Amino acid sequence: MSQGVNPELRNANDPETRGLPMNATEPSAGPPADTPTAPRPDPVAKISAGYAFSGPALDLGALLWEGRCLPDAQVRVPLPMLNRHGLVAGATGTGKTKTLQLVAEQLSAQGVPVFLADVKGDLSGISAPGAPGDRVRTRSAEVGQDWTASAFPAEFYALGGLGHGIPVRATVTSFGPVLLSKVLGLNQTQEQSLGLVFHYADQKGLELYDLKDLRAVVAFLASDEGRPELKALGGLSPATAGVILRTLTAFEAQGTSGFFGEPEFHTAELLRTASDGRGVVSVLELSAVQDRPQLFSTFLMWLLADLFHDLPEVGDAEKPKLVFFFDEAHLLFHDASKAFLDSVTQTVRLIRSKGVGVFFVTQTPKDVPSDVLAQLGNRVQHALRAFTPEDQKALRATVQTFPRSPYDLEELLTGLGTGEAVVTVLSENGAPTPVAATRLRAPESLMGPVDPGVLDGAVKASPLYERYAQAVDRESAYEKLAAAAAHPGAGAPDEPAAEPGRQPERQPEKQPKKQSQRAAHEEQSVVEQVVGSGMFKSLARSVGTQLGREITRSLFGTARRRR
């Protein structure tokens, strides 16, 4: 029996089972099978027909059958279907990174912007032409690829400015309590309590730009002066406030302050195209923060949530507005609460209609929750290892997630070479294509990192560098609470701050049951005071429409601001 072919289907279609040698046909069938005009085995013809799309598509590689590469049987994915999300999986060293590079190049060439999370620091080569060599020439000849060394327009970012790239920061307000709780490792009760802290800051007009702002608000609520405010919140105990405060302090001590603050990164930068019409490939370098996996994986989710809020509905477009590759996806889901997973699932489900395709990149499909996995229409599965009983169990579970096919997938997935994968995608009419073992094409850009000096030069030459390079520390909750503590008579933190040069309003004294019309007018609601304050206007200018940010945060368990 030939390796990788399902014996149940082979018996019906294989010439060998009908008393014929391999690659031979019946005498009346014409020339031998190794000539260009020979008919193919039925499974090969069916698989090949499943990838013969009429519209624009990305070329992944050539079909593998019976250990042979068939360059005239191309495996492709329709461009409009790339917003139906996908999965790129496989063991370490099987070629996942090169697959991302290959797909990103072709998307860019089709005018689609791409976001790549570069965990290992070797995707910067997409901005430089590839180096021809024997391996590239051999691979391109095998798969029928007309290989040309090419560079693609790229923008380089670094989380918090750690690494070679334009700094990417988020304000604490826009990040929200649920995502921040994931980063801090808070339990469900502490997460809910942190949500109350955000609610309190929103009510009082205290801007949470960076971590010290949030720490100042929590410290105030845990102090003797803020204890009445803490009691009024309800559900936030002094003990829990103390735990959150200690966690924040320890988190800052790890050097994480640079990830939060201003200027906040605008995710619309990821949707840019170059002057020649090609999509810009945005590469976020994460190698400097590999030791903080919870941080960078949650930051990637924040980018998606922010895009979800900002983008309008487009329905089924001719091509995606952006394809977002979410590397090391298992880190996002590890130890996540059910509410968090539900929010991720909802975001992935709804962002498709806004023209964004999301590809999760991980080692095995079991790393991704089933509710999320069910929404991924495109699959590129590289080789899996099966050295332990756990590996065997994961292998069997992976095989069960594929449609029925003529391949013996359990055998095939452990025998794939580097740069080979099992593929199934959505056809132009939305139906799954046949499972196809594929030898993938070679990327045309440099398969490795560019020189650090060249990379730094490209970063500083970017028009975005001046916009985001220098951190800004404007007056916010930390400064306002410090001023209130230094000058108790000038205004307490529980009052919305007054406009510059304006005296703070006095709290109304207890009135008789029948108040005068003037007194009733002066006793505004907290929200009315906040909306009218200078702080609220400043916050709206700096962070964007606050209502919009609350909608984004509502996807992760935070209620909208009252109106």
Side-chain angles (χ1 to χ4, degrees):
M1 188 195 317
S2 298
Q3 181 180 6
V5 179
N6 191 328
E8 295 179 5
L9 296 178
R10 179 183 171 86
N11 291 338
N13 301 299
D14 200 332
E16 192 175 54
T17 63
R18 292 179 287 148
L20 297 172
M22 288 296 297
N23 299 327
T25 60
E26 301 281 2
S28 60
D34 57 355
T35 64
T37 57
R40 288 174 172 159
D42 289 345
V44 173
K46 182 177 179 181
I47 294 171
S48 182
Y51 291 90
F53 308 125
S54 59
L58 276 59
D59 296 310
L60 298 180
L63 181 68
L64 286 170
W65 182 259
E66 296 285 356
R68 293 188 301 130
C69 187
L70 308 176
D72 57 337
Q74 290 293 306
V75 177
R76 312 165 75 214
V77 52
L79 184 62
M81 291 296 112
L82 284 162
N83 74 331
R84 300 296 180 93
H85 310 320
L87 176 75
V88 178
T92 301
T94 55
K96 296 192 301 293
T97 301
K98 298 302 176 284
T99 298
L100 304 190
Q101 191 168 343
L102 171 68
V103 174
E105 290 176 353
Q106 295 189 60
L107 284 167
S108 174
Q110 300 261 19
V112 178
V114 181
F115 174 86
L116 295 174
D118 188 7
V119 178
K120 294 178 291 187
D122 56 0
L123 281 171
S124 58
I126 200 167
S127 63
D134 291 341
R135 294 179 65 182
V136 169
R137 281 189 287 269
T138 300
R139 175 57 63 97
S140 58
E142 289 173 343
V143 301
Q145 177 184 7
D146 184 14
W147 190 91
T148 304
S150 305
F152 295 84
E155 201 75 74
F156 301 100
Y157 301 97
L159 200 57
L162 289 182
H164 303 278
I166 298 163
V168 173
R169 307 179 189 88
T171 62
V172 171
T173 288
S174 68
F175 207 74
V178 177
L179 290 175
L180 190 58
S181 295
K182 183 77 164 60
V183 170
L184 296 174
L186 302 181
N187 61 32
Q188 184 176 359
T189 300
Q190 293 159 355
E191 176 186 309
Q192 294 168 348
S193 298
L194 186 61
L196 290 174
V197 174
F198 272 73
H199 176 68
Y200 172 81
D202 287 345
Q203 278 191 323
K204 303 303 180 182
L206 295 171
E207 305 97 323
L208 303 177
Y209 293 154
D210 51 31
L211 290 176
K212 73 177 187 301
D213 289 327
L214 180 58
R215 178 165 44 81
V217 173
V218 178
F220 169 74
L221 291 172
S223 68
D224 291 338
E225 185 182 359
R227 200 154 293 166
E229 300 290 327
L230 186 70
K231 185 177 180 181
L233 277 175
L236 177 58
S237 69
T240 302
V243 171
I244 294 173
L245 182 60
R246 290 192 297 272
T247 305
L248 274 172
T249 303
F251 187 63
E252 282 188 284
Q254 297 171 12
T256 56
S257 298
F259 304 120
F260 297 93
E262 294 186 300
E264 181 177 68
F265 181 71
H266 293 283
T267 51
E269 313 285 11
L270 304 178
L271 306 174
R272 296 161 56 224
T273 54
S275 57
D276 60 2
R278 291 184 297 172
V280 172
V281 181
S282 298
V283 181
L284 178 63
E285 181 184 321
L286 297 172
S287 55
V289 291
Q290 286 188 79
D291 58 335
R292 300 184 180 98
Q294 293 278 49
L295 176 67
F296 74 69
S297 63
T298 311
F299 246 95
L300 295 180
M301 193 65 233
W302 171 75
L303 291 172
L304 268 184
D306 197 72
L307 282 165
F308 173 80
H309 160 252
D310 288 342
L311 290 174
E313 296 279 340
V314 295
D316 292 324
E318 293 182 357
K319 61 183 180 181
K321 286 188 174 182
L322 173 73
V323 175
F324 190 106
F325 288 93
F326 203 122
D327 207 354
E328 300 293 339
H330 64 284
L331 299 172
L332 179 71
F333 304 113
H334 180 66
D335 287 339
S337 66
K338 184 181 184 302
F340 184 89
L341 293 178
D342 289 345
S343 299
V344 173
T345 303
Q346 185 180 7
T347 303
V348 173
R349 180 185 298 121
L350 297 177
I351 204 170
R352 181 194 69 78
S353 64
K354 301 198 172 191
V356 177
V358 183
F359 276 70
F360 292 98
V361 185
T362 188
Q363 293 201 4
T364 70
K366 72 181 182 64
D367 293 334
V368 180
S370 56
D371 287 345
V372 176
L373 195 63
Q375 299 179 57
L376 310 183
N378 304 294
R379 297 273 301 276
V380 179
Q381 176 68 61
H382 288 265
L384 291 174
R385 308 294 180 232
F387 299 133
T388 68
E390 291 77 14
D391 292 340
Q392 289 284 355
K393 185 177 179 181
L395 174 62
R396 287 191 292 270
T398 298
V399 169
Q400 292 171 2
T401 64
F402 279 94
R404 177 177 166 84
S405 81
Y407 294 100
D408 182 348
L409 289 178
E410 194 165 332
E411 181 181 358
L412 178 62
L413 286 173
T414 56
L416 291 170
T418 302
E420 296 176 348
V422 173
V423 174
T424 178
V425 301
L426 292 181
S427 66
E428 291 168 312
N429 62 5
T433 59
V435 175
T438 307
R439 183 162 293 162
L440 298 167
R441 293 185 167 217
E444 296 185 343
S445 57
L446 182 64
M447 289 187 277
V450 300
D451 182 85
V454 175
L455 183 56
D456 285 336
V459 169
K460 292 180 180 177
S462 169
L464 303 181
Y465 183 75
E466 285 190 18
R467 189 178 306 169
Y468 296 107
Q470 187 61 46
V472 177
D473 187 12
R474 295 193 295 129
E475 185 182 48
S476 49
Y478 175 83
E479 289 79 13
K480 296 180 188 302
L481 289 167
H487 306 286
D494 59 343
E495 299 172 352
E499 298 279 2
R502 178 179 168 190
Q503 293 298 320
E505 296 178 4
R506 297 177 61 86
Q507 289 292 323
E509 298 178 1
K510 199 169 184 179
Q511 299 285 340
K513 193 168 185 180
K514 290 185 177 181
Q515 298 180 345
S516 67
Q517 184 177 359
R518 179 180 176 185
H521 177 73
E522 290 177 348
E523 195 168 344
Q524 297 175 311
S525 71
V526 172
V527 172
E528 288 172 330
Q529 294 176 34
V530 171
V531 172
S533 71
M535 265 188 294
F536 182 87
K537 294 174 183 176
S538 174
L539 182 62
R541 284 194 301 268
S542 62
V543 186
T545 305
Q546 187 61 37
L547 176 60
R549 294 301 184 191
E550 290 291 342
I551 293 173
T552 298
R553 284 161 49 186
S554 70
L555 287 174
F556 290 87
T558 303
R560 289 190 185 193
R561 182 184 301 279
R562 292 175 297 162
R563 301 184 69 182

